[in-house]
Amino acid sequence: MVKLATAREIRTYGPRLGRSRAEYINAGLYLFATVVLIGGFTATGFSWEPRSGLVLILLALALITVVNVHDLVAHLAGIDYRLKLMEYDLQLGLVEFAVPLVQIAGSVVFFLGILFVFNQAETKHGNGAREKHALNMLIAGPLLWVIGSIHNSCQIYERADSHVQILQQCVHIPFLVGSLLFLVSALLNSFDPSGSSHTTLKLLGRRWIWLGLSGSICLFVGGLMNVVKVFNFVQITGLRLEKLRGGAQDRLFEEREGYLPLVAEEERIRKMEADQSSNRAKTRSHLDSKEGAGTAESMMGTSQTPYKDVLLGQG
């Protein structure tokens, strides 16, 4: 249930006012989702009606899915949906594009796992195959979050200043720790899910609830630091953010202005000159072949005329 945290200039998409409003809503919605998640785990473990806690967890998962969808669309809008720029900057594809997709997949899988558990608690009829699928989904979702958190933490900084990098690490580390806690809780719960105090939630043990609550608190800390980071990025001017590498940033700016970069223009001119020279060579060879054929015909004609004259003279 982590989200993308990046310090790229391509995050500056669209008009300034609308962009700032969207970034604040994104950060605030994620923080609200972590609060709902903490309440969900608390209600699941300590209330008389644990199914209400599952409903809160489902709501938190849905909200975080929406947040990650916004992150994906925001970064695609930041590069004007030019996916070819990923060829020049690998981090653009491995982080800004892949991390939201992995987090969305993890949230959806975890959502389905909790939904199966909720359905089992509602019907109160056990189904071995469905219970096994639910436990596997409770493991697969956090596993995808851990993968996304590792990708999220492996961003390379070349131009961003130290203040930006400190803010980034304050967001990355709680996200990674929270994801690991969710994964460990799901693995321990799959081995021994019999520790629940509620008979209606026999698939969820106490260790899953306690570790899940700890992971939710870590995500809350990361979300709070993300709000601070977004405020600094939006309000404070002069922060040096990370640019696209491999010439992708220049290509993006110059394509927006309607002309190609100098390197691409030189490549295009060089290719055009090569095509023109090859066409000239083909035309010259074609003309030479025609001239050679005409010369041969004229020589044959001149050599035949005296031979006819000789025959006529003999007749």
Side-chain angles (χ1 to χ4, degrees):
M1 280 172 292
V2 301
K3 70 183 295 296
L4 174 67
T6 183
R8 295 272 203 162
E9 281 192 357
I10 58 171
R11 191 77 180 188
T12 57
Y13 58 93
R16 180 178 177 82
L17 182 60
R19 179 182 68 249
S20 301
R21 187 184 298 115
E23 290 297 316
Y24 282 136
I25 292 175
N26 179 278
L29 191 61
Y30 181 81
L31 187 63
F32 173 73
T34 58
V35 174
V36 174
L37 189 65
I38 293 174
F41 276 95
T42 304
T44 303
F46 307 105
S47 70
W48 291 104
E49 184 55 49
R51 287 174 293 185
S52 62
L54 295 180
V55 173
L56 291 177
I57 294 175
L58 291 174
L59 176 61
L61 289 170
L63 291 176
I64 293 194
T65 302
V66 172
V67 169
N68 279 292
V69 169
H70 170 264
D71 287 331
L72 179 61
V73 174
H75 280 92
L76 290 178
I79 60 173
D80 296 339
Y81 303 95
R82 294 184 172 94
L83 300 181
K84 292 183 178 180
L85 294 177
M86 296 180 187
E87 300 176 1
Y88 306 100
D89 191 347
L90 295 179
Q91 183 173 309
L92 179 61
L94 295 177
V95 176
E96 279 82 10
F97 184 72
V99 169
L101 286 180
V102 174
Q103 302 301 343
I104 291 170
S107 299
V108 171
V109 172
F110 197 7
F111 183 93
L112 293 176
I114 297 295
L115 188 61
F116 283 175
V117 174
F118 180 80
N119 185 37
Q120 182 267 337
E122 284 286 327
T123 58
K124 297 181 181 180
H125 294 295
N127 187 334
R130 182 172 295 182
E131 291 176 359
K132 184 177 180 180
H133 289 318
L135 292 175
N136 290 334
M137 287 181 181
L138 293 180
I139 296 174
L143 179 61
L144 291 172
W145 296 336
V146 170
I147 295 173
S149 299
I150 293 173
H151 276 205
N152 204 9
S153 302
C154 292
Q155 299 185 40
I156 300 172
Y157 302 104
E158 294 178 351
R159 302 180 183 179
D161 54 27
S162 58
H163 180 56
V164 170
Q165 296 185 36
I166 291 173
L167 290 174
Q168 285 292 96
Q169 296 304 321
C170 290
V171 178
H172 291 159
I173 293 174
F175 283 172
L176 180 58
V177 174
S179 302
L180 288 173
L181 287 174
F182 276 109
L183 180 60
V184 171
S185 67
L187 290 172
L188 294 177
N189 182 72
S190 64
F191 294 142
D192 184 18
S194 60
S196 177
S197 59
H198 299 284
T199 57
T200 56
L201 295 179
K202 65 177 183 178
L203 293 180
L204 303 179
R206 282 191 174 276
R207 284 178 294 187
W208 184 84
I209 294 172
W210 279 105
L211 288 175
L213 183 59
S214 302
S216 302
I217 294 174
C218 289
L219 296 186
F220 172 77
V221 173
L224 190 62
M225 294 307 301
N226 184 64
V227 172
V228 176
K229 186 199 75 169
V230 170
F231 178 81
N232 280 267
F233 284 7
V234 173
Q235 297 295 332
I236 299 178
T237 58
L239 287 178
R240 208 165 56 244
L241 301 180
E242 191 68 23
K243 294 184 179 182
L244 294 175
R245 286 179 288 274
Q249 189 85 25
D250 296 333
R251 289 175 181 270
L252 176 63
F253 288 159
E254 292 172 354
E255 286 178 4
R256 284 175 177 175
E257 296 296 330
Y259 60 89
L260 293 173
L262 182 60
V263 176
E265 183 69 17
E266 290 179 354
E267 292 178 357
R268 187 183 66 83
I269 294 174
R270 193 180 298 110
K271 185 178 179 181
M272 184 183 299
E273 291 177 351
D275 292 339
Q276 290 177 355
S277 61
S278 63
N279 290 333
R280 281 203 260 353
K282 289 179 181 179
T283 305
R284 190 179 299 108
S285 62
H286 185 63
L287 292 175
D288 291 341
S289 62
K290 283 187 176 180
E291 291 177 358
T295 305
E297 290 179 357
S298 61
M299 290 177 64
M300 289 177 62
T302 54
S303 62
Q304 289 176 358
T305 303
Y307 180 70
K308 291 180 180 179
D309 294 339
V310 171
L311 292 177
L312 289 174
Q314 291 179 354

